[in-house]
Amino acid sequence: MKKKLSILIPTYNETEAMVKRLLDSIALQQRVAFNHIEVLVMHDGNENTFKDELFKGYPFDVNYYIGEHRGVSATRNKLLTLAKGEYIQWCDADDFFHSAWALFPVFREMKIGFDALVGNFLQESPLPTNPNEFVIMEMQMNGMQFVHNKVYCKKFLIDNEICFRENYPLMDCHEDHVIMALARAYSQNIKFQPMPTYTWAWNENSVCRKDPYYLQHTT
């Protein structure tokens, strides 16, 4: 069955609890047709694979793949080729939708059509004075940086050969900036969704969380 939305999730060293939190946040969505949603999860060659039980019992289709270790960009590109949805959204496996209405505006806008639907997102960070307590802040990016909280028309990406660049072995982060830059170069049909419904969650094992000044050091 052809789907309207494919949610594409690469994994490497994330835990089952992290992936379950993301899947559960999708299952909580309101006023959406789950039979039009598919979730594709692909392991990037890490030996710590997940049990099949993790993906059972959800109201949408979940497909789990184990790939070779080629990096996050190649994994995201492979998921794009496997997607059956008219529209796709890449999600990091350690993130989640913090609102039960996150996908409602996506389905509303899909009825009209767009090449890209972008929005701000929330960042979860520990307090400097107490690493066991977390704060949430909105990332005021005007929706134009990073992969988070963005939905794309798959045909638009394929027709314009827009994908993640896999030939930058030294780029452990910022690999996603080129996607939005190319989308803006090729399209006048990019819409902005003002409600931040996606959370970039804290993961101390993430490459961009190990260094609090990673943006300054890697840009």
Side-chain angles (χ1 to χ4, degrees):
M1 177 182 177
K2 186 174 178 59
K3 303 293 184 178
K4 290 293 294 183
L5 178 65
S6 298
I7 298 176
L8 312 179
I9 306 171
T11 70
Y12 182 67
N13 62 1
E14 292 84 6
T15 65
E16 287 194 356
M18 291 176 178
V19 177
K20 185 177 188 302
R21 178 176 62 179
L22 173 53
L23 295 175
D24 288 350
S25 73
I26 300 171
L28 290 173
Q29 296 303 304
Q30 301 295 307
R31 300 294 184 181
V32 298
F34 285 121
N35 62 318
H36 289 300
I37 297 175
E38 67 169 359
V39 175
L40 279 61
V41 181
M42 176 170 283
H43 238 102
D44 180 27
N46 189 302
E47 62 183 10
N48 298 318
T49 55
F50 301 135
K51 298 177 182 177
D52 290 339
E53 287 74 16
L54 175 64
F55 307 106
K56 295 181 178 179
Y58 288 103
F60 42 81
D61 294 338
V62 184
N63 297 294
Y64 177 48
Y65 307 91
I66 300 175
E68 300 177 2
H69 180 47
R70 297 177 57 204
V72 65
S73 293
T75 303
R76 286 173 175 156
N77 288 338
K78 181 61 177 179
L79 285 167
L80 177 63
T81 67
L82 295 171
K84 297 185 176 71
E86 183 180 356
Y87 293 86
I88 65 98
Q89 179 171 8
W90 284 290
C91 293
D92 289 346
D94 50 8
D95 294 343
F96 61 94
F97 295 101
H98 81 274
S99 168
W101 296 94
L103 296 182
F104 173 75
V106 175
F107 272 78
R108 180 187 60 203
E109 293 295 339
M110 285 192 299
K111 293 179 180 179
I112 304 170
F114 56 82
D115 291 330
L117 179 67
V118 303
N120 290 337
F121 57 93
L122 303 181
Q123 173 182 314
E124 178 188 64
S125 299
L127 286 172
T129 55
N130 186 350
N132 294 317
E133 293 187 18
F134 292 83
V135 295
I136 300 292
M137 64 185 74
E138 182 174 346
M139 299 292 284
Q140 294 288 346
M141 298 289 182
N142 294 323
M144 294 304 176
Q145 290 83 13
F146 305 112
V147 72
H148 317 302
N149 203 25
K150 296 174 178 61
V151 182
Y152 299 92
C153 174
K154 181 183 177 181
K155 186 177 186 301
F156 165 71
L157 296 178
I158 299 298
D159 288 350
N160 292 285
E161 299 182 351
I162 298 175
C163 63
F164 289 89
R165 284 356 191 201
E166 301 176 20
N167 57 342
Y168 299 141
L170 299 181
M171 288 185 65
D172 290 327
C173 50
H174 310 311
E175 80 289 336
D176 50 354
H177 282 35
V178 68
I179 298 295
M180 199 62 235
L182 290 171
R184 294 177 71 183
Y186 281 101
S187 176
Q188 297 296 318
N189 190 16
I190 296 177
K191 298 183 178 180
F192 181 68
Q193 202 284 103
M195 182 171 59
T197 55
Y198 182 100
T199 298
W200 180 37
W202 178 260
N203 180 358
E204 62 183 9
N205 292 319
S206 172
V207 63
C208 58
R209 298 296 189 143
K210 293 178 181 179
D211 179 1
Y213 299 102
Y214 85 99
L215 281 174
Q216 294 92 321
H217 293 165
T218 58
T219 301

